[in-house]
Amino acid sequence: MATFTRFSTDDVVITTEKVFTNTFSSNILTAVHSSSTQNVAATDRTASGLFYKDVYDAAAASAGSEIQYAISYGNKAGSGSLPFTDADVGLSATRTIYSQYRSLVYGDETRNFTFNGHEPSGIYVLNIERARYKQALRLGSLNLTLSGSSATGIIKLTDDSATSSGSAVLTNLGRQYNIVSGSDGVRFGDNLTQVTNSGSYGLFYPDAGVIILNQDPLDATVADGGIVLATQETATNDENISKLADAINLGKFFEQDTQEDISSQFYFVRAKNKDFNYSTNASYIDANGNLNFTSMIDNPVSYITTVGLYNDANELLAVAKMSQPITKDFTKEALIKVKLDY
C-alpha cells in the first residue's frame, strides 16, 4: 500500500499568466477631485500641498472616495514655491521634489532630467497610488488627455511602448519609456520630439507607477503642440500643481491598466492501479492493522477525497480537496491535477 509518492520532473509544470485589470476605481477617470486640506496659502512654506496633491475618484469628503494618484511639481532651481526660510534661497518644496525623483531615477543628485536631449527647468509628476496597481502598469494602456483653457488646446498622451516594440531604457526606477502624443502605446508621427525645441512630452516608468511630464511642451502654444499650461517659476507659491490638475480635469480622460504576472505550478498526481487501494481510516482497520471487512482482502476499494503535498521531511504543505470522492481499486487509475497560484 503506497502512502507517499515522490513527484518526477514530468509531474510538475510551471506556467506564467498575465492578468490585466483597471488601475482606477472606474475604467476611465473623467474628473479631478482634491482635498481642501491640501490647499496652499500664499505664505505656506512646508504645507503638504506644496509637495503633492492627492487626486480622488469623488469628492474627498464623500463616503467611499479613494485616492487614485498624486500630482507633484519639481523645479531644479527651486522656483515655483517659497523657500523653506528666507535664508534658504532655492531650497524649497519644488526643489525637493525634483531632487527626489532625480535620485529615484538616476541614483544621482547631480544629473538633471532630459527629454530626447532637451533639459527643462521643471517637471510634473503623476504618481499612481501604490494600492491601485498590482505588479506594474500595463504597457500601451496609458491614455491621458490634457486640455488648456481653449477648446483647441488639447493633447492626447500615451507611452511609446508599441512604437518602440517594447524596447525600454533600464533605470533605478525600472523600465523607462517615452510619453508621446498618441494613443494605446502608438506615437503620432515619426518624431519623438513633437514640440519644436522642447523634447518629448515625458517619461513613463511602469514598474514604479510614475509618469514624469516635461513642462516645456505643455507650456508651448497650441499651434506648436502645447496647451499653454503657463507654468510659473517665481520665488512665490505659484500653484503649478493645480494648473496640471485643471488640465487633466478639462481633458476628462485618464485611462491606465495594471498587470500582474501570476505563476502557477501544476502537480499531476497519478494514482496507478496498484496504488492507494487501501485506507488507513479508523473504520477500515482494527487496532492491530487488520482489515475489518474480509471482502476487502482480495478486492479492496478506497475513495480518494484529499490530496496532500508534502516536503522531503513528510511535513504537510498544501491540501487539495476533491469536488466528489474518486473510487479507486486495482482496476482503476486516477490522474488528478493540483494547481498552486503564487
Side-chain angles (χ1 to χ4, degrees):
M1 177 175 65
T3 304
F4 296 100
T5 300
R6 181 178 292 276
F7 289 106
S8 70
T9 55
D10 294 335
D11 296 328
V12 182
V13 176
I14 300 176
T15 64
T16 300
E17 178 184 7
K18 294 185 182 298
V19 177
F20 305 111
T21 56
N22 297 333
T23 298
F24 303 127
S25 298
S26 57
N27 183 35
I28 299 170
L29 290 181
T30 58
V32 170
H33 302 275
S34 59
S35 172
S36 60
T37 61
Q38 290 191 296
N39 289 346
V40 175
T43 56
D44 284 338
R45 296 177 186 268
T46 59
S48 67
L50 292 170
F51 296 87
Y52 69 93
K53 286 190 176 181
D54 288 322
V55 173
Y56 296 77
D57 57 347
S62 64
S65 65
E66 297 179 341
I67 296 174
Q68 307 295 296
Y69 59 94
I71 304 175
S72 297
Y73 173 73
N75 188 281
K76 63 184 179 183
S79 302
S81 63
L82 284 171
F84 294 134
T85 68
D86 290 336
D88 295 328
V89 178
L91 298 179
S92 65
T94 59
R95 184 170 178 179
T96 299
I97 291 297
Y98 190 95
S99 297
Q100 174 190 358
Y101 283 95
R102 170 170 59 186
S103 179
L104 286 172
V105 173
Y106 303 121
D108 182 351
E109 292 197 6
T110 62
R111 181 176 175 182
N112 295 329
F113 281 101
T114 58
F115 302 85
N116 198 31
H118 175 77
E119 183 181 312
S121 56
I123 58 171
Y124 289 92
V125 182
L126 302 180
N127 200 325
I128 307 299
E129 177 71 9
R130 186 62 188 88
R132 301 248 40 106
Y133 66 97
K134 300 293 185 181
Q135 189 170 352
L137 300 181
R138 182 183 183 185
L139 298 178
S141 68
L142 170 62
N143 289 287
L144 172 62
T145 300
L146 301 179
S147 177
S149 57
S150 170
T152 58
I154 295 175
I155 53 176
K156 297 182 178 181
L157 302 179
T158 187
D159 62 87
D160 68 345
S161 59
T163 299
S164 63
S165 301
S167 177
V169 175
L170 294 181
T171 72
N172 289 350
L173 212 56
R175 295 169 295 167
Q176 172 187 287
Y177 294 88
N178 296 294
I179 299 293
V180 295
S181 175
S183 63
D184 297 326
V186 179
R187 182 181 68 216
F188 293 156
D190 298 326
N191 296 321
L192 183 57
T193 294
Q194 296 169 304
V195 176
T196 303
N197 299 323
S198 294
S200 66
Y201 282 106
L203 300 170
F204 178 55
Y205 301 91
D207 300 318
V210 171
I211 297 167
I212 296 180
L213 298 175
N214 174 2
Q215 77 173 37
D216 286 353
L218 302 183
D219 290 336
T221 65
V222 173
D224 287 336
I227 56 171
V228 196
L229 189 62
T231 303
Q232 291 181 280
E233 298 181 68
T234 71
T236 61
N237 292 335
D238 293 325
E239 292 279 17
N240 288 321
I241 292 175
S242 295
K243 293 181 176 67
L244 181 61
D246 290 342
I248 296 173
N249 198 42
L250 289 172
K252 299 184 183 300
F253 198 99
F254 190 1
E255 178 185 34
Q256 175 67 68
D257 291 342
T258 178
Q259 81 170 53
E260 180 181 16
D261 293 339
I262 297 180
S263 295
S264 299
Q265 196 154 347
F266 294 92
Y267 292 88
F268 291 90
V269 180
R270 309 176 196 277
K272 297 182 178 180
N273 69 306
K274 64 178 181 178
D275 297 327
F276 304 107
N277 296 318
Y278 295 90
S279 173
T280 55
N281 188 285
S283 64
Y284 206 85
I285 57 176
D286 60 23
N288 298 319
N290 298 315
L291 292 171
N292 284 328
F293 304 96
T294 56
S295 60
M296 294 286 188
I297 295 176
D298 296 320
N299 189 28
V301 177
S302 64
Y303 298 89
I304 301 174
T305 60
T306 305
V307 174
L309 301 182
Y310 296 77
N311 61 16
D312 288 335
N314 290 342
E315 298 171 329
L316 182 62
L317 304 178
V319 173
K321 295 285 188 179
M322 305 297 105
S323 58
Q324 61 184 27
I326 298 175
T327 305
K328 183 69 178 65
D329 59 34
F330 280 112
T331 67
K332 297 181 177 68
E333 292 191 343
L335 174 61
I336 302 167
K337 182 170 71 173
V338 179
K339 179 183 179 184
L340 296 180
D341 290 333
Y342 55 91

